[in-house]
Amino acid sequence: DDKIYGAWLGRICGCMLGKSVEGIRTNDLIPFLKETKNYPMYRYIHRSDFQNMDLAKYKFNFAGRVYADEIDGMPVDDDTNYVVLAQKIIEKYGRDFTPYDVSRAWIAYQGKDAYCTAERVAFCNFVKGYAPPQSAIYKNPYREWIGAQIRGDYFGYINPGDPKLAAEMAWRDASISHVKNGIYGEMFVAMLAIAATTNSIEEIISGGLAEIPQTSRLYESVMSILDSYKSGVSEQNCFKMIHEKYDEHSGHDWCHTISNAMIVVAALLYGEGDFSKSICMAVETGFDTDCNGATVGSILGMANGKETISEAWSAPINNKLHTSIFGVGTVNISDCVEKTLSHIENS
């Protein structure tokens, strides 16, 4: 119970941390964090940080964002919508759901604007009559982007100790909108099933790697981070290496599965199991900040339990999650946890 609650709460807090600056590039983010005395990052970004600041010098539009000191629960976000949506899919179709079932649920539960990039293309393909797996391929240039990697958490939650089944469910989910590394990203997140049984970061990552093809670029890239960490490469040099390999100023590199998976793994390893340190590391690195903060938070929340997430992170969330899912709207996180536990018991 403590672990499942930790996973939900960790995902939501990590997502909120990155949501305030989603889309920013580090040449804006780092100077901004330094100016607000939040570098290295250690807390949420607040609207009150901007008092007496000249924001015009930054390219990023800070004005139109949401901040932790002005929210009533977690605001609507695709990274959190998908966990609740997966819960609805299990509720409606059971654990033997098919990719086609997922495609029907997408049409039934959310409007087109709730989906981004590969997901939006797939949604439009469903409407045009394309069924999975064709829906993932037809006119879909985003099919190896991060969209599926943010959808796998729930399958890890409901299969504690069984990463194989978690990854297989993730494959069913991912195949409707993604191919190759796009799918492997979601299967890799099946490491959450392992985090349910151990808090050893290296074991968790290795367990996730065991579920994806060793010949894939994702496997190779994650291994390069793991090897660097084990051979004593510094945190700074490891993140620098990611930035050298992928250009955050290119939309493709910024949103690709592989670049962001590397950030997640590096934040987990160099954060050494510390929740605050790890989610902050994932966000201050740039790229897809809310996705990476959410994934890292979810894994550490599961590995170490709810008690390791301090009040500073959980208080603004106030046990409340807003979604854009039809017929669901706002939910209590504690209710989502109860339902998750029932889905584990019914396995």
Side-chain angles (χ1 to χ4, degrees), residues 127-317:
V127 174
K128 289 171 189 158
Y130 292 92
Q134 283 72 26
S135 53
I137 301 159
Y138 183 66
K139 292 189 176 178
N140 189 355
Y142 315 112
R143 57 191 181 265
E144 287 191 80
W145 281 21
I146 196 176
Q149 189 161 281
I150 67 173
R151 295 178 357 223
D153 289 51
Y154 198 68
F155 309 120
Y157 294 179
I158 62 170
N159 292 298
D162 192 349
K164 201 172 184 61
L165 183 54
E168 195 269 327
M169 284 186 179
W171 175 86
R172 282 183 253 158
D173 180 78
S175 64
I176 73 172
S177 56
H178 285 71
V179 300
K180 297 179 184 172
N181 294 285
I183 293 178
Y184 308 150
E186 183 166 348
M187 293 171 73
F188 178 53
V189 174
M191 62 177 141
L192 273 152
I194 299 158
T197 59
T198 177
N199 62 0
S200 156
I201 299 298
E202 286 187 39
E203 269 180 52
I204 292 166
I205 294 165
S206 303
L209 278 173
E211 299 308 325
I212 64 171
Q214 291 187 7
T215 49
S216 64
R217 286 179 300 139
L218 179 61
Y219 186 94
E220 205 176 280
S221 301
V222 170
M223 278 308 288
S224 73
I225 301 289
L226 202 48
D227 292 342
S228 299
Y229 174 77
K230 283 178 172 172
S231 62
V233 171
S234 72
E235 173 199 320
Q236 199 179 357
N237 286 339
C238 183
F239 284 107
K240 191 175 160 206
M241 180 179 84
I242 298 170
H243 275 274
E244 281 165 2
K245 188 170 179 183
Y246 289 96
D247 176 10
E248 65 175 312
H249 297 279
S250 132
H252 177 73
D253 283 14
W254 180 88
C255 215
H256 200 279
T257 296
I258 295 176
S259 50
N260 289 288
M262 289 168 85
I263 291 166
V264 165
V265 169
L268 286 169
L269 290 167
Y270 288 94
E272 296 174 320
D274 181 304
F275 182 82
S276 300
K277 193 174 157 189
S278 306
I279 61 170
C280 288
M281 221 179 261
V283 170
E284 73 186 17
T285 308
F287 289 81
D288 205 333
T289 51
D290 64 331
C291 294
N292 298 336
T295 302
V296 169
S298 187
I299 291 163
L300 286 175
M302 178 68 96
N304 299 320
K306 171 176 171 255
E307 297 311 311
T308 56
I309 301 171
S310 81
E311 184 93 345
W313 298 114
S314 61
I317 306 299

